[in-house]
Amino acid sequence: MCYLKNHFGNIEYLHGKANVRLPNSIFRDLSTAIKSNNGSTNIQQVAFAYVYLVTVSLLYKYAHFVDIDNDSYISNADIKELLGYNRTTKSIDKVIKKNGILDQLNLTKTTKNYPVRFEMHPNDRINNIPIREFFTINDLSENDVSYSELKRIVKNRNYEIKEPLFMTTENGDNDYGTLYSMERTHRIDIDEFLKFIFDDEMNNIDFLMYGFFKAKCKGYPEDMKAIAVYKITLELGIDRTTFFKHLELLKGKGYVEVNHKDWKMKDDNYKKMEANEYFWKGID
């Protein structure tokens, strides 16, 4: 895991406050699509998919699938290990394989043409955001100074990566991906990513719920929003017991605060329970 920590830590070292944006619709998209054999939402795999998308988005946006400084490159097996699975685990392959669930949802595209660097064009903007031009391995000539180094590091001729289409192409009602459109998105910063990934007390479900509360609450007064529990569990596809277990972990870390309201059911209808107030606090 040390080389993985160095690889992702180098994104922060090179780019400072690196970050990516994900569409707020991602939670329902994943929980609707990723099911167990019995037809219920598989929250473990939903959470894995969410963090996987954050991971490949950071790698793509900062052209860091291959890290020449650390002689390392990131494969799906590496990401499995990074996110708490065995490198050879097959159960989650249906989510991340070529033409798997994420590709079918048009959230990602499997490609061998990975980005190797990018350039910013501050005078050319979309939605007042400088255009980011990516250069891929296929754009390099064999005479390029980086070409031989990249080929030396990536020994697998069949090496494939995921392009996060929601970031690089039009997304839903937006004409542009989340690189250039912040509407109905939430931002995950590299320090948040590193905090969750390398904290042994936290797992993918904690990160998923953190991202959910950031998406729902940040930007409102006091970064607070009242949300009914049933709406949260429905959108995430999580059962109440699991939700409250991981909510306690987030509260214990100080990442989320909750003003608990009426816990009693009115007329035996849980939908009529008063909504709790959730305060997104962040990792600082």
Side-chain angles (χ1 to χ4, degrees), residues 7 10 24 93 98 108 147 155 183 227 238 245 266:
H7 189 108
N10 206 25
N24 292 344
D93 285 352
K98 185 174 183 178
T108 58
Y147 185 83
K155 297 180 174 62
E183 187 177 359
I227 317 172
I238 191 172
K245 172 187 173 183
K266 300 173 182 178

Side-chain angles (χ1 to χ4, degrees), residues 219-237:
Y220 285 91
E222 300 184 80
D223 289 333
M224 183 279 289
K225 188 175 182 181
I227 317 172
V229 172
Y230 85 91
K231 290 185 177 180
I232 299 173
T233 57
L234 183 64
E235 186 165 349
L236 292 179

Side-chain angles (χ1 to χ4, degrees), residues 38-49:
N38 63 7
S40 62
T41 298
N42 187 322
I43 189 58
Q44 297 285 351
Q45 293 184 0
V46 167
F48 170 83

Side-chain angles (χ1 to χ4, degrees), residues 117-149:
R117 64 174 180 261
F118 65 90
E119 290 183 9
M120 303 298 295
H121 297 279
N123 294 326
D124 298 316
R125 293 172 175 257
I126 298 175
N127 291 336
N128 206 32
I129 298 172
I131 288 178
R132 195 183 205 90
E133 182 180 6
F134 292 101
F135 296 87
T136 67
I137 186 66
N138 290 353
D139 292 326
L140 300 186
S141 71
E142 294 186 6
N143 296 323
D144 190 287
V145 65
S146 301
Y147 185 83
S148 59
E149 280 294 282

Side-chain angles (χ1 to χ4, degrees), residues 91-110:
S91 62
I92 51 176
D93 285 352
K94 68 177 184 180
V95 178
I96 61 176
K97 68 181 180 181
K98 185 174 183 178
N99 299 321
I101 292 174
L102 295 182
D103 283 7
Q104 291 170 22
L105 292 172
N106 290 320
L107 292 171
T108 58
K109 179 179 73 174
T110 304

